[in-house]
Structures are given as C-alpha cells and as structure tokens.
C-alpha cells in the first residue's frame, strides 16, 4: 500500500470517528434534554376549555379571563388579570393557577370593583397565587 493511501485511510478513520462522536453526542443531547422537555409547555396539552372573559363591575378598567387546560394526566385552572398594556403578549398577567382540578369545579368572580374571588375544591393544589395585582385583591376560597 502506498504512502498516500495510508494517509487517506487515516484521514477517513479520523472523519468517521468524529462523525461517530458527533452522532452519539447528538443522541445523548436529544434524549437527555429535548425529549423530557417536549411536553413542558403545551406539548401534550388539550385546547383550553371553559374560557371566560369577565369585565370588572361598574365599568372598571380591568377584566380577567379564566380557563381550564388538561396536560397529560394533569388538569389545571388558570385566571389572568388584564394589565392595560396593549403590547401583544403583555395584555394579561397570571393571578391564579390550580392543579388537579376537574373542569367546571373552579370559578372566579368579581366581588366588588377591586376584588376577585376564586372558589375551588380543597382537593386542588394551589400552584401559584398573587394576593394583589394592579390594585385588585385576589382571594382564594377552598370549599
């Protein structure tokens, strides 16, 4: 075998080794990071149901929207308060998130111009709750 063929053989072995390492690295990255995170944000969630948009009483400047979402084996209830910001994506901010709650078992209602009351079964788990946002009190009432 001539010297140039030996060099070609060595170069091809190096390229093959690097390709193998790159492939194994990509597979490790894919299975360690991409697959576990594929359902992290709405990957396997149903479309939102029971969407309600409720204006503040007495024509107040705020409104809130509430919805139910099923993601895999988990059921969620969300409530968002309007911010008054007209920029897309900043119109609402979360005020309540409940987990393990059946559709229709949580309600959010205005209790005066500056208070929202959220009622839900005691079996639900409170994931997130802001007691006051934009001058609006948010009260939780487990039943």
């Amino acid at each position: 075998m001539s010297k140039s063929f030996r060099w070609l053989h060595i170069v091809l072995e190096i390229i093959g080794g690097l390709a193998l390492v790159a492939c194994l690295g990509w597979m490790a990255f894919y299975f360690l990071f991409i697959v576990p995170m594929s359902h992290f944000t709405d990957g396997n969630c149903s479309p939102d149901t029971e969407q309600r948009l409720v204006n503040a009483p007495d024509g107040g400047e705020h409104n809130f929207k509430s919805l139910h979402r099923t993601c895999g084996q988990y059921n969620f209830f969300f409530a968002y308060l309007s911010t008054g910001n007209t920029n897309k994506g900043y119109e609402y901010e979360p005020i309540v998130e409940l987990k393990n709650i059946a559709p229709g078992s949580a309600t959010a209602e205005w209790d005066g111009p500056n208070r929202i009351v959220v009622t839900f079964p005691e079996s639900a788990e409170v994931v997130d709750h802001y007691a006051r946002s934009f001058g609006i009190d948010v009260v939780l009432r487990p039943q």
Side-chain angles (χ1 to χ4, degrees):
M1 197 189 293
S2 73
K3 196 172 192 176
S4 61
F5 283 123
R6 276 189 250 162
W7 279 106
L8 179 63
H9 181 78
I10 291 171
V11 168
L12 289 176
E13 282 185 357
I14 291 172
I15 291 172
L18 291 174
L20 183 62
V21 168
C23 179
L24 291 174
W26 171 249
M27 286 177 52
F29 176 77
Y30 181 78
F31 286 107
L32 290 175
F33 296 103
I34 294 176
V35 170
M37 297 303 248
S38 64
H39 300 299
F40 184 70
T41 57
D42 297 337
N44 65 343
C45 293
S46 69
D48 298 337
T49 58
E50 297 180 13
Q51 293 183 354
R52 291 182 51 208
L53 182 62
V54 184
N55 291 320
D58 302 330
E61 64 181 81
H62 290 285
N63 63 36
F64 74 85
K65 64 180 177 178
S66 62
L67 55 101
H68 183 267
R69 183 179 297 154
T70 300
C71 296
Q73 63 183 349
Y74 300 106
N75 291 305
F76 294 92
F77 174 83
F78 298 96
Y80 298 95
L81 181 67
S82 64
T83 63
N85 190 337
T86 57
N87 292 325
K88 182 130 177 91
Y90 297 98
E91 301 96 336
Y92 289 90
E93 85 166 13
I95 54 175
V96 175
E97 179 182 347
L98 304 173
K99 183 178 175 182
N100 298 331
I101 187 159
S105 59
T107 59
E109 300 291 335
W110 286 100
D111 185 25
N114 295 320
R115 184 178 175 148
I116 298 172
V117 176
V118 179
T119 56
F120 57 94
E122 287 185 6
S123 60
E125 176 186 339
V126 178
V127 176
D128 212 355
H129 168 241
Y130 296 91
R132 189 167 179 84
S133 287
F134 293 97
I136 307 294
D137 295 325
V138 182
V139 179
L140 297 180
R141 283 200 185 134
Q143 295 181 339

